[in-house]
């Protein structure tokens, strides 16, 4: 499978714990995006990377959230001191990412986080 | 059947009928739009895209129409099938892809 892969598919944690999700984009894609989706809503943009550089962060991304893409390939999203309101599907997407070109995003299947 | 996007988030059609899903976008500067399909438990899947210099684009069984004057986008699905049942999102590209709330399409056999 050469699509975007995310791990784990499901994560159940207790409030206050830290969690980390991983995303492996399509191999030749330079841009990587993180979105959050709650039930009945569209995906909400969190942040994106052009290679290893984090170029934009939404104000939804509180200081408890941190994302990295250290070598410009896979990315991790960490949530510290999780809260029940963090429960959502976390989606990763990638694109070829040539600047100033509009390109479609390819999504992974997401990580479903449940904070108890 | 026809939906009005955010005002009617559910659309139910008979198998074989044509479906029309509507979407109003927010930013007149948006120059690229995509329709995504999302099935339960999966990430959004690309259906069709359109750039702002076009009014219409056709794919296999799907057509996207863009009306920049009223900032309106629609997705037409011909001969709707049970496998088309899903939530459909329109997305506009400003600096990054921004999604609408979606419309749930249910196809009745």
């Amino acid at each position: 499978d050469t699509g975007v892969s995310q791990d784990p598919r499901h994560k159940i944690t207790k409030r206050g714990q830290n969690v980390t999700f991983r995303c492996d984009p399509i191999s030749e894609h330079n841009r990587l995006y993180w979105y959050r989706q709650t039930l009945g809503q569209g995906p909400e943009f969190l942040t994106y990377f052009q290679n290893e550089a984090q170029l934009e962060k939404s104000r939804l991304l509180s200081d408890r959230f941190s994302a990295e893409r250290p070598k410009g390939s896979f990315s991790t999203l960490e949530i510290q001191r999780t809260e029940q309101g963090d429960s959502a599907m976390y989606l990763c997407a990638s694109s070829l990412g040539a600047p100033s070109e509009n390109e479609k995003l390819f999504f992974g299947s997401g990580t479903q986080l449940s904070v108890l | 059947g026809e939906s009005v996007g955010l005002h009617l988030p559910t659309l139910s059609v008979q198998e074989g009928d044509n479906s029309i899903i509507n979407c109003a976008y927010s930013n007149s500067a948006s120059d690229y739009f995509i329709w995504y399909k999302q099935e339960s438990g999966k990430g959004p899947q690309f259906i069709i895209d359109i750039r702002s210099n076009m009014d219409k684009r056709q794919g296999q069984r799907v057509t996207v129409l863009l009306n920049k004057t009223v900032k309106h986008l629609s997705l037409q699905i011909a001969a709707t099938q049970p496998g088309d049942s899903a939530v459909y999102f329109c997305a506009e590209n400003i600096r990054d892809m921004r999604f609408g709330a979606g419309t749930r399409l249910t196809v009745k056999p």
Side-chain angles (χ1 to χ4, degrees):
Chain A
D1 187 349
T2 57
V4 178
S5 62
Q6 293 187 245
D7 183 70
R9 287 297 310 277
H10 304 274
K11 178 69 177 179
I12 300 173
T13 192
K14 293 182 179 178
R15 189 176 53 186
Q17 297 295 304
N18 299 343
V19 294
T20 300
F21 311 139
R22 177 179 170 123
C23 172
D24 287 89
I26 295 171
S27 59
E28 64 269 25
H29 283 187
N30 296 319
R31 283 197 181 173
L32 186 148
Y33 300 77
W34 286 100
Y35 284 80
R36 180 172 69 187
Q37 185 177 28
T38 53
L39 197 63
Q41 300 296 316
E44 296 174 297
F45 169 77
L46 293 178
T47 189
Y48 89 92
F49 293 82
Q50 174 81 28
N51 299 312
E52 65 273 13
Q54 189 172 15
L55 295 187
E56 186 172 348
K57 292 194 291 186
S58 164
R59 61 178 180 272
L60 292 175
L61 210 67
S62 78
D63 56 6
R64 295 186 297 106
F65 288 69
S66 62
E68 294 182 346
R69 195 183 182 198
K71 297 181 181 178
S73 56
F74 73 92
S75 176
T76 57
L77 177 68
E78 181 183 17
I79 309 174
Q80 296 182 324
R81 305 180 303 281
T82 52
E83 301 172 357
Q84 288 182 325
D86 297 331
S87 296
M89 173 77 84
Y90 289 84
L91 292 162
C92 177
S94 69
S95 72
L96 282 171
S100 357
E101 278 192 27
N102 297 314
E103 292 189 315
K104 52 184 173 275
L105 274 60
F106 294 84
F107 282 85
S109 294
T111 294
Q112 181 66 53
L113 173 65
S114 298
V115 182
L116 305 178
Chain B
E2 181 172 343
S3 82
V4 194
L6 294 176
H7 300 290
L8 188 64
T10 301
L11 175 65
S12 183
V13 301
Q14 205 71 36
E15 181 178 359
D17 286 353
N18 296 334
S19 302
I20 300 174
I21 301 172
N22 295 304
C23 176
Y25 62 93
S26 58
N27 193 322
S28 57
S30 298
D31 56 3
Y32 180 57
F33 305 88
I34 300 181
W35 280 100
Y36 283 92
K37 171 186 180 183
Q38 188 173 26
E39 297 173 288
S40 181
K42 297 183 179 180
Q45 176 187 4
F46 171 86
I47 303 174
I48 191 167
D49 58 359
I50 188 167
R51 300 188 189 279
S52 60
N53 60 354
M54 303 170 69
D55 297 323
K56 178 179 179 178
R57 189 161 189 221
Q58 288 185 290
Q60 189 174 15
R61 284 201 307 118
V62 294
T63 301
V64 56
L65 299 177
L66 175 63
N67 185 330
K68 295 180 286 294
T69 303
V70 295
K71 293 190 288 185
H72 183 269
L73 201 64
S74 69
L75 176 71
Q76 300 177 2
I77 305 173
T80 315
Q81 302 170 0
D84 296 326
S85 293
V87 178
Y88 289 81
F89 295 99
C90 65
E92 58 182 313
N93 187 28
I94 307 168
R95 292 186 306 282
D96 49 76
M97 203 59 65
R98 304 292 169 117
F99 287 77
T103 297
R104 177 174 297 281
L105 174 66
T106 301
V107 181
K108 296 177 289 187

